[in-house]
Amino acid sequence: MAREKQPEAAAEAEGTPERSYREQLDFLNPIAQPLASRKLTRKLYKCIRKAAKHKQIRRGVKEVQKFINKGEKGITVLAGDTLPIDVYCHIPIMCEDRSLPYAYVPSKSVRGWGCAAGRNQP
């Protein structure tokens, strides 16, 4: 439990949200399955940061959909708290059809911090 509580300064430096993992689960969409565990979520965020650093990341529904249709390989990380659901509910079906791995993470704000998206940064 010592890992769950972080000082606010350390949380801001890492880019993690102020809400805990359990609090983020309250805002999930009903279709957010398979949801990544706490440990896997951390690993996915770390992987997203590395991919963004090497410019190997695809952001946005339109861009992800285009590269799935082209046959590009990789893992799709979806935010579980995105509204409306209709915007991206077809992406998991496309991934399953092409045998691509995908997972939901609880918060879109942390995912945005990891990939250096402009809207989610201060």
Side-chain angles (χ1 to χ4, degrees):
M1 289 211 179
R3 288 185 178 176
E4 290 180 36
K5 302 286 183 179
Q6 293 181 354
E8 290 182 26
E12 289 177 14
E14 291 179 12
T16 57
E18 296 167 5
R19 290 182 286 167
S20 70
Y21 183 83
R22 288 189 181 143
E23 291 171 342
Q24 292 174 4
L25 296 180
D26 295 335
F27 300 101
L28 286 179
N29 291 328
I31 66 164
Q33 293 296 328
L35 181 66
S37 66
R38 180 179 298 167
K39 187 175 181 179
L40 181 59
T41 299
R42 285 188 195 138
K43 288 183 180 184
L44 285 172
Y45 290 150
K46 189 184 257 187
C47 182
I48 289 170
R49 264 187 257 128
K50 284 184 181 181
K53 191 181 278 187
H54 296 288
K55 306 221 189 285
Q56 296 293 319
I57 196 164
R58 309 289 180 235
R59 282 178 274 174
V61 175
K62 195 172 182 180
E63 191 175 354
V64 169
Q65 184 175 339
K66 180 172 72 173
F67 281 95
I68 289 174
N69 286 333
K70 281 186 176 181
E72 191 170 294
K73 296 294 180 186
I75 184 168
T76 304
V77 180
L78 303 163
D81 62 349
T82 303
L83 288 175
I85 299 171
D86 300 341
V87 172
Y88 72 108
C89 64
H90 63 284
I91 298 290
I93 297 166
M94 292 175 66
C95 289
E96 288 175 3
D97 288 344
R98 289 163 182 79
S99 301
L100 290 175
Y102 69 95
Y104 286 90
V105 293
S107 177
K108 63 183 172 189
S109 61
V110 177
R111 186 183 50 84
W113 276 92
C115 66
R119 284 187 268 181
N120 296 328
Q121 291 184 351

